[in-house]
Amino acid sequence: MYIRTFIQIVYANAELYIKKCKGYSKNHDKSLTWACIGKRMTPALTGLEAEKLFHRLREKFGKERKKIRMSLPKSGAGTETSTYQSNWIFYNDLLFLTDHIIARQYVHTCMVIEFNLKLHDTIK
């Protein structure tokens, strides 16, 4: 119940997790918001503890979401259902983060070296 209450309070403060929100880049305001959220909890948390707790929850949600996405069949496989279902009790509570967690673009180092070698060969 404690964590669910915490998640609901954070959900009501979009500037803490939506990068496009006006207050997202205002670190001082966010620190004050985290401190207020921490005080509302029983037992109380410091602002830094509240921020770290949300960070851990967000990271865990991202990992669970990635497992689900990776278990989806490839395009054209004839089914759209995932083979992995998250059993984590807070997964559904954090679904509001789905649109706000963006996977980083990954470029393997070998691919960059190979591209540079090809580019170098065409310049000669």
Side-chain angles (χ1 to χ4, degrees), residues 75-93:
S75 178
T79 182
E80 295 293 323
T81 58
S82 169
T83 56
Y84 177 81
Q85 297 293 322
S86 178
N87 292 327
W88 187 44
I89 59 173
F90 302 119
Y91 183 80
N92 290 332
D93 297 312

Side-chain angles (χ1 to χ4, degrees), residues 10-54:
V10 172
Y11 176 67
N13 293 279
E15 68 277 1
L16 297 175
Y17 59 89
I18 299 177
K19 291 183 179 181
K20 293 180 182 178
C21 266
K22 204 172 192 177
Y24 183 83
S25 60
K26 297 177 181 175
N27 290 331
H28 179 69
D29 292 349
K30 285 198 307 188
S31 294
L32 292 175
T33 303
W34 283 121
C36 289
I37 289 172
K39 287 179 185 175
R40 289 180 64 185
M41 301 304 297
T42 306
L45 299 169
T46 66
L48 187 58
E49 289 171 334
E51 189 174 356
K52 285 182 178 182
L53 175 59
F54 183 68

Side-chain angles (χ1 to χ4, degrees), residues 3-4 7-8 10-11 17-18 54 57-58 60-66 68-69 84-102:
I3 300 294
R4 284 202 167 96
I7 291 169
Q8 290 171 352
V10 172
Y11 176 67
Y17 59 89
I18 299 177
F54 183 68
L57 290 168
R58 189 181 64 214
K60 174 71 173 172
F61 174 77
K63 288 177 183 179
E64 288 293 309
R65 185 170 161 258
K66 183 178 179 180
I68 291 171
R69 284 189 13 243
Y84 177 81
Q85 297 293 322
S86 178
N87 292 327
W88 187 44
I89 59 173
F90 302 119
Y91 183 80
N92 290 332
D93 297 312
L94 291 166
L95 281 174
F96 67 91
L97 292 174
T98 301
D99 294 335
H100 310 294
I101 295 179
I102 300 168

